[in-house]
Amino acid sequence: MGPLVANGIISENTNLLLAFFIGIGFGFVLESSGFSSSRKLAGVFYGYDMVVLKVFFTAAITAMLGLLFMSLFGWVDLDQVYVNPLFLRSAIVGGVVMGAGFIMGGFCPGTGICGASIGKIDAILFSVGLFVGVYFFAFTYSWWEKLYKATPLGGKKVSDALGMSDGLFALVLILVAMGMFYAAEWAEKKFPREEY
Amino acid sequence: MAELTKKEKSKRYLNPYLGGVLLGLVLLSCNFISGRGLGASGAVKSVVGASIQAVDKKAADHSLFMAEFKEGHGDKPLKNWLVIEVLGVIVGAFISGAVWGRLKFRVEHSPKITSQKRLLFALIGGALFGFGAQLARGCTSGAALSGMAVLSLAGFVTMMAIFGTAFALAYFFRKLWI
């Protein structure tokens, strides 16, 4: 049955129309959760506001469990769901650069766009910065091409890499997340937030 | 319950665990409908590539980046799933901001720094994030969150690199936030 577009249940144009509504849901939930505020987002790195960790991991677990159960019931064919390929070196270097951008800018691309949508001027500047960064990459691509294409490992699953079944890995991740939620609640009490 | 003041209302947010479940359901329906995850930085790439193509029609002949872009995005790079999804994100965030009374032009910054400093770091941070997302083939939404939901190793590696680095650097940039 699913994914609907891969199995011809909906057309490519319907898929694009639905992308708009999925985006509305995405933007609405991010903004309602407080992700349009750099102050709330950066809180996760100092302990005064752990909303990023709570929302991020709850969302990852919800979607992961949903997909595993839907696959179990035969509602979705996981082989037709896109698994992003791993290029180990560029994923790490790119992630490190993004982490530096996160602590300086206080947003990530999706949340920056949300902040800009409600008039946060810092988020608008962050979004302008995104374009600067991508143009820079485009014009200097020959410098990075080797790094960009190094160590291709394909669309590998973390459960396979660890030699676990998908279900067992999901259980481990849920337990880890529970531990992190507990630590997050503790941190928010220990590092109270200064209002401004 | 007493009527909330405007300021109090604008500081109210969804319970984070409820927000997380809702975000997870959006991501799940996205995978069920379109067979792919959510994203953000990919839309910026499409706009950048389309703009280069518009200025220089033969860009793909002399730029490797544009040659690979054309291969991946075809002739209509703006008629793209991620571009349309991000238009939806803008609308969705705007609706939420309107519902909670948060639509306002302002610079949010710690009282310990000037708004100029906040804006400068926002711009630098955005540039780094945009660049890093190209290298890593996706950002926090496309690579990390969506990747984790499909148990992709790339998703977990990218997530740990992003959050690990930001944690490691937090001490040096603490004046921006606390």
Side-chain angles (χ1 to χ4, degrees):
Chain A
M1 190 175 168
L4 298 183
V5 67
N7 293 305
I9 295 169
I10 57 169
S11 71
E12 192 48 51
N13 280 331
T14 312
N15 188 32
L16 289 178
L17 176 69
L18 290 175
F20 184 64
F21 291 101
I22 288 169
I24 290 180
F26 187 25
F28 188 90
V29 176
L30 284 182
E31 207 291 323
S32 299
S33 302
F35 280 26
S36 56
S37 160
S38 58
R39 169 109 176 110
K40 276 181 85 67
L41 293 168
V44 70
F45 303 115
Y46 302 97
Y48 64 77
D49 193 330
M50 303 299 281
V51 63
V52 167
L53 185 143
K54 296 180 200 172
V55 173
F56 188 86
F57 277 92
T58 311
I61 288 171
T62 305
M64 176 189 71
L65 275 185
L67 280 173
L68 288 178
F69 276 109
M70 286 169 94
S71 148
L72 193 66
F73 300 149
W75 296 350
V76 66
D77 179 3
L78 286 187
D79 291 336
Q80 291 178 324
V81 171
Y82 180 71
V83 176
N84 44 335
L86 175 61
F87 289 73
L88 187 60
R89 211 169 300 164
S90 58
I92 292 175
V93 177
V96 166
V97 176
M98 285 191 271
F102 205 163
I103 199 70
M104 288 186 219
F107 288 111
C108 63
T111 55
I113 291 166
C114 281
S117 310
I118 66 155
K120 290 272 169 71
I121 297 164
D122 42 331
I124 295 173
L125 263 277
F126 182 90
S127 306
V128 171
L130 289 177
F131 281 90
V132 174
V134 180
Y135 274 114
F136 180 75
F137 183 84
F139 290 127
T140 58
Y141 181 57
S142 56
W143 302 355
W144 321 105
E145 193 208 347
K146 238 177 142 177
L147 170 65
Y148 183 66
K149 292 175 180 165
T151 50
L153 299 175
K156 213 177 195 167
K157 278 185 165 185
V158 64
S159 40
D160 292 338
L162 295 172
M164 289 182 198
S165 70
D166 291 355
L168 180 62
F169 179 80
L171 179 67
V172 171
L173 187 68
I174 290 170
L175 294 176
V176 169
M178 292 291 175
M180 288 195 299
F181 295 153
Y182 186 81
E185 299 297 337
W186 168 85
E188 283 178 354
K189 282 192 195 88
K190 180 158 163 84
F191 307 103
R193 170 187 169 135
E194 267 178 70
E195 285 301 335
Y196 56 76
Chain B
M1 208 171 87
E3 194 69 8
L4 290 172
T5 67
K6 251 187 172 168
K7 194 169 177 190
E8 279 167 347
K9 189 182 169 200
S10 74
K11 292 208 185 276
R12 290 188 68 201
Y13 297 103
L14 278 186
N15 174 296
Y17 300 107
L18 174 63
V21 169
L22 292 176
L23 180 57
L25 292 177
V26 172
L27 178 53
L28 180 60
S29 30
C30 180
N31 275 297
F32 178 70
I33 294 167
S34 305
R36 52 156 304 141
L38 301 163
S41 58
V44 178
K45 182 181 185 175
S46 289
V47 174
V48 165
S51 72
I52 296 174
Q53 222 166 46
V55 173
D56 177 2
K57 297 254 183 288
K58 293 203 171 86
D61 297 339
H62 55 78
S63 151
L64 181 63
F65 176 85
M66 287 308 295
E68 290 181 7
F69 177 83
K70 216 174 162 184
E71 216 180 284
H73 291 72
D75 285 333
K76 288 182 181 164
L78 293 180
K79 196 186 167 192
N80 168 285
W81 197 95
L82 274 177
V83 171
I84 295 171
E85 179 240 39
V86 165
L87 290 176
V89 169
I90 295 171
V91 173
F94 184 84
I95 295 172
S96 168
V99 169
W100 296 103
R102 282 195 280 268
L103 296 180
K104 195 179 165 193
F105 282 109
R106 59 177 286 224
V107 182
E108 190 181 27
H109 66 94
S110 153
K112 290 173 193 157
I113 58 167
T114 60
S115 60
Q116 282 90 338
K117 190 169 180 188
R118 168 74 189 114
L119 292 176
L120 177 67
F121 275 94
L123 183 65
I124 297 171
L128 287 171
F129 223 125
F131 178 81
Q134 291 313 300
L135 214 46
R137 297 173 169 77
C139 58
T140 342
S141 1
L145 178 64
S146 303
M148 283 167 69
V150 293
L151 298 179
S152 126
L153 187 57
F156 283 86
V157 169
T158 314
M159 182 270 293
M160 287 193 281
I162 296 175
F163 285 99
T165 306
F167 263 117
L169 296 178
Y171 177 80
F172 303 103
F173 294 100
R174 65 190 183 284
K175 294 237 167 71
L176 294 177
W177 308 107
I178 52 173

